[in-house]
Amino acid sequence: AQSVTQLGSHVSVSEGALVLLRCNYSSSVPPYLFWYVQYPNQGLQLLLKYTSAATLVKGINGFEAEFKKSETSFHLTKPSAHMSDAAEYFCAVRRGNQFYFGTGTSLTVIP
Amino acid sequence: EAGVVQSPRYKIIEKKQPVAFWCNPISGHNTLYWYLQNLGQGPELLIRYENEEAVDDSQLPKDRFSAERLKGVDSTLKIQPAELGDSAVYLCASSQNARGRGSIGELFFGEGSRLTVL
């Protein structure tokens, strides 16, 4: 079965520090991969997507993610955290018209 | 371009009462999804429509939940009767089937309808 694992349900970083949110997928064939962000009381917003065109994907708000087939990973990074980055982040994989979401990582940014 | 619109944003009802949620997807998006999101969890699929046809409703609790998508555009999700455990956020999302212009059918979500059952 298709699944996504997000390591760390809560991550805290200082403002200006590196953000690293981990995502691993289970699939023998590289799928379509996504990162979504959810701010309080809002829906999910697409941050970036992997389509196999390039292993390093740049998204909105300075985020990027690197697809590593050998590690079946798609970790999300941002060089310098901003207070406005505090939110819930979800990794997702698509197979056909089925989407599978991870359980989410809550990012806290400490001033 | 308008995004996915959902209403109501918030609903508080007593158990055993009925409730309905409405969703208007992005114009031109053939596929519409209803997801359930419990606190601290990722979205879980309830039902997926391709145009007006429900093509995946295996996770929809059919004893109390129903959905429809008339004319393949707007959709409603109904719960009757509601139970305490139904308290959650109900998310609607849409995607387009056609590939190209950078689209791979990614999901676009509405802001959700938060249901509280007392």
Side-chain angles (χ1 to χ4, degrees), chain A residues 97, chain B residues 30-33 48-55 69 97:
Chain A
N97 280 330
Chain B
N30 319 66
T31 309
L32 184 146
Y33 304 73
R48 173 168 62 92
Y49 283 93
E50 296 287 347
N51 298 305
E52 67 273 12
E53 181 182 0
V55 295
R69 190 184 184 196
N97 288 342

Side-chain angles (χ1 to χ4, degrees), chain B residues 1-112:
Chain B
E1 177 181 283
V4 177
V5 179
Q6 290 188 246
S7 69
R9 289 292 318 279
Y10 304 92
K11 189 73 175 180
I12 301 173
I13 61 172
E14 295 190 347
K15 62 180 181 181
K16 301 185 181 180
Q17 294 300 304
V19 64
F21 305 112
W22 174 81
C23 173
N24 180 247
I26 293 173
S27 177
H29 281 195
N30 319 66
T31 309
L32 184 146
Y33 304 73
W34 282 103
Y35 284 92
L36 167 69
Q37 186 178 26
N38 287 305
L39 188 65
Q41 299 294 316
E44 299 172 12
L45 181 69
L46 286 172
I47 189 168
R48 173 168 62 92
Y49 283 93
E50 296 287 347
N51 298 305
E52 67 273 12
E53 181 182 0
V55 295
D56 185 353
D57 63 355
S58 57
Q59 301 303 311
L60 189 72
K62 298 180 182 64
D63 57 335
R64 298 184 300 106
F65 286 65
S66 64
E68 61 182 9
R69 190 184 184 196
L70 300 177
K71 300 181 181 179
V73 181
D74 296 1
S75 177
T76 57
L77 177 69
K78 299 178 181 178
I79 307 174
Q80 182 171 11
E83 297 180 351
L84 294 176
D86 297 331
S87 295
V89 176
Y90 293 83
L91 293 165
C92 180
S94 68
S95 68
Q96 61 181 40
N97 288 342
R99 303 294 185 263
R101 287 177 288 180
S103 170
I104 54 169
E106 58 266 35
L107 295 177
F108 292 85
F109 283 86
E111 293 190 301

Side-chain angles (χ1 to χ4, degrees), chain A residues 32 34 36 38 41-44 46 49-51 90 94 97-99 101-103, chain B residues 9 33 35 37 40-42 48 50 56 99 102 104-107 109-111 114:
Chain A
Y32 292 130
F34 308 84
Y36 283 85
Q38 186 176 33
N41 298 316
Q42 294 188 24
L44 280 71
L46 182 66
K49 60 188 178 184
Y50 168 72
T51 64
F90 293 94
R94 173 179 174 153
N97 280 330
Q98 298 276 17
F99 285 82
F101 288 85
T103 52
Chain B
R9 289 292 318 279
Y33 304 73
Y35 284 92
Q37 186 178 26
Q41 299 294 316
R48 173 168 62 92
E50 296 287 347
D56 185 353
R99 303 294 185 263
I104 54 169
E106 58 266 35
L107 295 177
F109 283 86
E111 293 190 301
R114 180 178 296 275

